Amino acid sequence: RGLTKSMFLGSWRITAHVLRVLSIMVVLHVNSATAFTLPLPCLYRHGPVQAQKVRAQGVSMRMAAIKVALIQTGGTIDKDYPRSSMGYAFEIADPATERIIADASHVPLSVDFEQHTVCRKDSTEITGADRAALAELCYSVSSNLIVITHGTDTMIETAKALAADARLRPKTLVLTGAMRPERFGISDAAFNVGLAIGAVQVSRPGVFVAMGGAVFAHDACRRDTDSGAFLPLAPFAPLDKVLVEEGIESDFENCQDLAPGMVGKVIMIDGEGDAYIDFGVAGGKQWVSSSQFSKLWSPKNGEDNDEDDSAKGPDVPLFPE
């Protein structure tokens, strides 16, 4: 009996080795460009296993990456401590986007980037010639997805200039920047660049501004002169009628609170985005802060309020008394 058992075990081992050799021969015989899983079970001691997949040389497991062009124009985001001796002012140096992407490269990125530089200027120093050079570069790069880093002071002006170039209409351009240099330990640079890279991939062709967690069409935002924040434009224009949907506690002196149901006509919208509205006998003429616009409703698509409301007609003065 012992001899029979030994013969059985020996023959099982031989069979297992023969099958293993056969499976290796099959792997070597199959064209290396074919990825496959061998269906034949190999009788190893630990049970059936699958053969190794063979991938063609140079073929990556990674899907084709999205290509995004990054263009530097300067601005606060790229400012660095002075390198020159006795330097006393910030210098605009290498693109902050290079360091931001490098910091995130410890995981595989699904986007390929190409970096370009048009100029390295504070945005208050950017000229019409600089904007023309930027538009030319945006047109010439192969990618239709473009993120532009820019100073915040004139970012909207540059966005409008790019939007006016008919050659760029098939492309999606997103401008972004930072309120503090990326070199600072506490900066919004990486946050805004990440926002812009995401926005450029999902937005329709056009020119956009991505700042502070929000993405705006180039003609639908403004920069608050006090806080520096980018905010949406008023959802109405001078001479439009507005309805108070939710009670408004005024942010300004000598202005009464506004009750739901009051109707007014917009007289003007100032550079800070606040509106001067005539509420007629019910509330008089007063300023309404842009932060309260969500509590106002304005007719859309050519609709209008009835003419017998409390708002005055177009003969109201265009400026406050």
Side-chain angles (χ1 to χ4, degrees):
R1 180 181 298 176
L3 180 61
T4 302
K5 182 176 180 181
S6 297
M7 292 176 62
F8 172 77
L9 292 175
S11 124
W12 183 86
R13 291 190 181 96
I14 292 173
T15 302
H17 285 299
V18 169
L19 289 174
R20 184 178 182 182
V21 171
L22 287 174
S23 68
I24 294 173
M25 292 175 65
V26 171
V27 169
L28 295 175
H29 179 71
V30 174
N31 189 315
S32 62
T34 305
F36 71 100
T37 300
L38 188 67
L40 177 66
C42 300
L43 300 179
Y44 298 136
R45 290 186 179 184
H46 298 291
V49 297
Q50 291 181 324
Q52 179 185 1
K53 290 193 297 184
V54 180
R55 193 178 301 275
Q57 185 176 5
V59 176
S60 173
M61 295 177 63
R62 178 184 172 193
M63 297 178 63
I66 297 170
K67 294 183 179 179
V68 174
L70 303 173
I71 299 180
Q72 177 195 35
T73 65
T76 298
I77 188 171
D78 289 333
K79 287 184 178 179
D80 200 350
Y81 296 101
R83 301 177 185 179
S84 58
S85 177
M86 302 298 290
Y88 62 89
F90 283 105
E91 299 174 357
I92 296 178
D94 296 333
T97 50
E98 291 182 346
R99 296 185 294 275
I100 291 171
I101 292 167
D103 288 345
S105 296
H106 60 282
V107 294
L109 301 178
S110 59
V111 179
D112 283 340
F113 300 99
E114 55 181 87
Q115 182 73 57
H116 304 270
T117 296
V118 170
C119 58
R120 295 179 175 180
K121 293 183 176 183
D122 186 276
S123 67
T124 59
E125 300 173 348
I126 287 183
T127 64
D130 295 326
R131 292 188 174 101
L134 175 59
E136 188 65 34
L137 179 58
C138 290
Y139 175 69
S140 64
V141 297
S142 59
S143 177
N144 281 342
L145 307 179
I146 302 172
V147 171
I148 301 165
T149 53
H150 196 288
T152 56
D153 284 335
T154 63
M155 183 182 294
I156 295 176
E157 287 82 347
T158 297
K160 290 178 179 178
L162 294 173
D165 193 324
R167 300 175 302 167
L168 303 180
R169 288 175 185 169
K171 301 199 173 195
T172 304
L173 286 68
V174 178
L175 285 80
T176 192
M179 302 300 294
R180 292 182 180 178
E182 179 270 339
R183 285 293 194 184
F184 281 18
I186 300 176
S187 171
D188 55 333
F191 180 82
N192 289 333
V193 168
L195 172 69
I197 291 172
V200 78
Q201 299 178 59
V202 299
S203 299
R204 67 183 186 277
V207 183
F208 302 88
V209 171
M211 288 291 295
V215 180
F216 307 96
H218 72 278
D219 56 353
C221 65
R222 64 182 182 86
R223 184 170 181 264
D224 183 73
T225 54
D226 292 329
S227 66
F230 285 76
L231 301 171
L233 287 178
F236 40 75
L239 303 183
D240 283 352
K241 293 181 180 179
V242 293
L243 170 71
V244 179
E245 288 195 306
E246 183 180 342
I248 295 177
E249 185 176 345
S250 180
D251 297 331
F252 301 99
E253 295 180 358
N254 303 319
C255 292
Q256 70 179 66
D257 296 341
L258 303 174
M262 294 177 65
V263 178
K265 178 163 287 187
V266 180
I267 300 174
M268 65 173 291
I269 300 172
D270 68 2
E272 297 181 351
D274 300 323
Y276 192 63
I277 303 176
D278 183 3
F279 289 97
V281 295
K285 301 170 188 173
Q286 60 174 290
W287 288 98
V288 176
S289 170
S290 58
S291 62
Q292 306 275 21
F293 286 171
S294 61
K295 300 177 183 179
L296 298 174
W297 177 83
S298 180
K300 304 296 181 182
N301 301 322
E303 298 175 9
D304 202 355
N305 292 319
D306 295 332
E307 290 298 326
D308 59 351
D309 56 40
S310 58
K312 290 188 177 180
D315 58 340
V316 292
L318 292 179
F319 295 94
E321 296 175 353

